[in-house]
Amino acid sequence: MPLITRDLLRKRAEHNEGMISTLEEISLHQEELESINEVLGMTCRKLKILYLQNNIISKMENLFHMKDLVYLNLALNNVTKIEGLHNCEFLGKLDLTVNFIDLDELKDSIDHLQSRTNLHDLYMMGNPSEHNWPNFKHYVIAKLPQLQNLDGTEITRSMQIQARQKLPALEIELEKLASAVRTEKRAKAIITEQAKPAPSVTTYANGVTIEDVDEEAEGSNDQSQEMTDNTPETRVRIYQELAQQKKEKEDRANVNAPKKRNYEKEQEESIKAIRDKEAEEAGDIKQKNEGGWEFYWDEETRPGMVVLEVRVQKFLDSSLIDVDVHPTYVSMVIKSKVLRLRLPAEVKVSESKCQRAKVNGALLIIMPKLDSKANAISIRGDQRAAQRAATTSGGAAGGATAAGPARTIASSQQRAGAVNASASSAAQPQRTVLKPKKLSLQEQMMQEALQSAGGDMSGASGSTETRSNSLLDASIGAASRVGVNV
């Protein structure tokens, strides 16, 4: 038969986003429950409204943790006695419709409710005590003056006065009826025990004993009882059949459903396999980030500490995170995936600790350094920058040295000329030296034409026309020599 489990409570707590510790109302009706186990009371201590109707609960138990309970519905169950409500001091409404509270347990049941001063509504319609005793309501009203409604009927002042006047006689009458009910129950139990058919036993020569049972006879008796009797045993048998049918239906539905993963079991198996492999590879630890987790190192915020921040999901259960810190590396198994990193400095394993941020759920691993100044990230960064600068300058010098002989000679001549020029400039007064302008291609062509013509533009003789023709012919000849299309 089904039991009250945490999975069932989470399933029924969808209106509270699956949070069961802060649950104030839950409905567990029609779950074929046989008992109220300790899971409900230990887990849901803030419950104010509890629906347990239409089950086969036979005893009111494990309710002592529910101090805030206001409404308890146990209609259509197998309860035979009211009990277990000592700590439910705020209980205001109790529904026990169609149960099996008989006259032999009525006095103790009502006495148990006398201390519940906040109880205003009580429903007991359909119980043997209410059905078999006409003075049931008068007795209950007289014994429970705090009641305002009984079985949906408002209790007036006159009804309370009449009930208190009849109470002494009602108590005597109840005692006689309770004694008769006890005697009748004992007689029925004896008759039922004697009516059971004695099984035929066959013993063979080898000592094997076989018990023969008449299944058809038992089936016919059960069928006749189901059609006529209304007892707790009959309801249990009916609900067991219903539970079996429901289970078979769920099994058929789950055949083609996706297999539900057990993340906790997968995490345990992954941790064991990974730790065993790390023990074998103790001298050759390789960095790994299977989950692609985003992480950050911090050695400046907390001097002398190495702080590793891993951005895991905010709502990831911490039971799916396993952290193993070593002096030179840290290994984490997050939801069966490995994150292994070498540490920037040797750390003290015994003083390291892990924390989860409440805002974003990030994992913080705080590890004190063995040497507070050893291998700081900033120092190593400066060292790398210095090494890169030295490598760059060395490469430039090597490139100059590896140049060709002509460039080397030219550089030497230039340096020698520069030295001579500086020496002559030191010996003579400084003069302004005008550097010759670099001529364009047309200017060079014009100059060559003038030189070939044998004349100068400032001192040429002859007529202007003759000079122009000569210059034009010379320019065309120079252009043809340098390959310019005219």
Side-chain angles (χ1 to χ4, degrees):
M1 294 294 289
L3 298 174
I4 299 177
T5 61
R6 289 178 178 270
D7 292 337
L8 177 61
L9 295 177
R10 290 192 183 96
K11 179 181 176 181
R12 292 289 189 166
E14 294 178 352
H15 60 283
N16 198 41
E17 297 182 355
M19 299 293 293
I20 57 179
S21 59
T22 60
L23 200 60
E24 294 185 356
E25 179 180 350
I26 192 170
S27 178
L28 299 173
H29 66 284
Q30 296 181 347
E31 292 289 343
E32 291 80 39
L33 301 174
E34 287 186 314
S35 63
I36 306 173
N37 57 17
E38 64 278 0
V39 174
L40 180 61
M42 294 292 292
T43 307
C44 305
R45 300 194 178 195
K46 301 295 183 181
L47 275 180
K48 293 183 179 180
I49 301 175
L50 177 58
Y51 295 97
L52 289 169
Q53 69 270 25
N54 208 352
N55 288 290
I56 48 175
I57 298 171
S58 60
K59 186 176 181 180
M60 299 171 62
E61 57 185 349
N62 294 316
L63 299 172
F64 49 86
H65 291 294
M66 302 181 190
K67 296 182 180 181
D68 299 329
L69 193 62
V70 176
Y71 175 33
L72 176 61
N73 191 333
L74 281 167
L76 294 168
N77 277 280
N78 290 348
V79 177
T80 57
K81 182 180 179 180
I82 301 175
E83 56 187 341
L85 300 174
H86 298 89
N87 293 339
C88 302
E89 56 187 34
F90 298 106
L91 185 64
K93 184 177 180 180
L94 178 61
D95 192 345
L96 291 166
T97 304
V98 190
N99 276 275
F100 295 93
I101 302 174
D102 211 338
L103 293 170
D104 57 337
E105 298 290 353
L106 181 62
K107 183 178 183 302
D108 294 338
S109 298
I110 300 302
D111 290 344
H112 180 71
L113 294 177
Q114 284 183 325
S115 59
R116 308 277 67 79
T117 56
N118 293 312
L119 183 63
H120 301 312
D121 296 332
L122 178 63
Y123 293 84
M124 294 188 66
M125 184 180 296
N127 284 272
S129 57
E130 185 270 340
H131 182 266
N132 297 329
W133 190 26
N135 292 320
F136 169 82
K137 288 188 177 181
H138 296 291
Y139 179 78
V140 174
I141 293 172
K143 296 285 285 185
L144 301 176
Q146 72 271 28
L147 282 183
Q148 297 177 1
N149 297 279
L150 178 61
D151 290 331
T153 303
E154 183 180 359
I155 300 174
T156 61
R157 181 65 176 170
S158 60
M159 294 171 64
Q160 291 179 342
I161 294 172
Q162 293 176 5
R164 282 197 296 269
Q165 292 175 352
K166 296 180 180 180
L167 182 58
L170 294 176
E171 289 180 340
I172 296 173
E173 182 182 359
L174 177 61
E175 184 63 30
K176 293 180 180 178
L177 293 174
S179 178
V181 170
R182 295 189 190 98
T183 302
E184 182 181 358
K185 286 184 177 180
R186 286 195 294 268
K188 283 186 178 180
I190 294 172
I191 293 173
T192 303
E193 187 68 24
Q194 292 177 353
K196 289 183 179 180
S200 59
V201 179
T202 304
T203 304
Y204 295 92
N206 56 1
V208 177
T209 302
I210 298 177
E211 181 178 344
D212 298 331
V213 179
D214 190 354
E215 296 180 356
E216 295 182 359
E218 287 190 354
S220 61
N221 292 335
D222 292 343
Q223 185 176 2
S224 61
Q225 290 178 0
E226 289 177 0
M227 294 174 61
T228 57
D229 295 344
N230 182 24
T231 62
E233 293 78 10
T234 303
R235 295 192 74 240
V236 168
R237 189 162 55 251
I238 293 173
Y239 274 77
Q240 286 177 347
E241 293 177 359
L242 292 175
Q244 183 65 24
Q245 293 174 4
K246 184 183 291 187
K247 185 177 182 303
E248 292 176 356
K249 183 179 179 180
E250 291 178 355
D251 293 341
R252 288 194 299 268
N254 293 333
V255 170
N256 298 325
K259 185 179 180 181
K260 188 176 179 180
R261 296 179 61 181
N262 189 344
Y263 291 102
E264 294 181 356
K265 185 178 180 181
E266 291 180 6
Q267 178 76 356
E268 292 177 0
E269 294 175 352
S270 300
I271 291 172
K272 186 178 183 304
I274 292 168
R275 299 299 179 234
D276 293 343
K277 187 175 181 180
E278 289 178 351
E280 296 175 358
E281 301 176 354
D284 185 19
I285 297 299
K286 297 180 180 179
Q287 299 189 104
K288 186 180 292 187
N289 188 0
E290 293 181 346
W293 309 106
E294 187 178 355
F295 62 89
Y296 302 94
W297 293 103
D298 183 9
E299 296 185 45
E300 298 178 358
T301 305
R302 304 186 186 188
M305 300 279 186
V306 176
V307 180
L308 174 60
E309 179 182 354
V310 183
R311 296 292 180 87
V312 298
Q313 292 92 335
K314 181 178 180 179
F315 298 104
L316 180 65
D317 195 340
S318 297
S319 62
L320 299 178
I321 302 175
D322 184 80
V323 180
D324 188 14
V325 179
H326 293 261
T328 57
Y329 71 94
V330 59
S331 176
M332 286 165 278
V333 182
I334 305 173
K335 206 173 180 181
S336 303
K337 295 183 179 180
V338 184
L339 173 59
R340 188 184 304 118
L341 301 170
R342 290 193 182 95
L343 297 175
E346 189 172 354
V347 299
K348 300 177 183 178
V349 177
S350 59
E351 299 180 12
S352 301
K353 58 183 179 181
C354 297
Q355 298 176 352
R356 286 289 297 276
K358 294 183 179 180
V359 178
N360 57 1
L363 175 65
L364 294 177
I365 306 174
I366 304 170
M367 299 165 282
K369 294 181 181 179
L370 191 63
D371 182 359
S372 60
K373 297 183 179 179
N375 291 333
I377 290 179
S378 58
I379 296 175
R380 289 187 283 110
D382 296 340
Q383 292 176 353
R384 291 195 193 98
Q387 290 177 0
R388 286 196 295 269
T391 304
T392 304
S393 61
T401 305
R407 185 177 299 177
T408 304
I409 296 171
S411 300
S412 301
Q413 292 176 354
Q414 290 175 358
R415 287 197 295 271
V419 172
N420 296 332
S422 61
S424 61
S425 63
Q428 299 178 1
Q430 294 183 356
R431 293 181 300 176
T432 303
V433 179
L434 297 177
K435 295 182 180 180
K437 181 180 178 182
K438 186 176 181 180
L439 301 178
S440 64
L441 181 60
Q442 293 180 354
E443 292 174 343
Q444 292 176 7
M445 292 167 55
M446 183 64 70
Q447 188 175 7
E448 290 180 0
L450 291 174
Q451 291 176 359
S452 62
D456 190 6
M457 292 184 64
S458 60
S461 61
S463 63
T464 306
E465 183 178 359
T466 304
R467 288 197 301 271
S468 299
N469 294 331
S470 301
L471 291 173
L472 180 60
D473 296 338
S475 298
I476 293 172
S480 60
R481 286 196 301 274
V482 297
V484 177
N485 295 325
V486 179

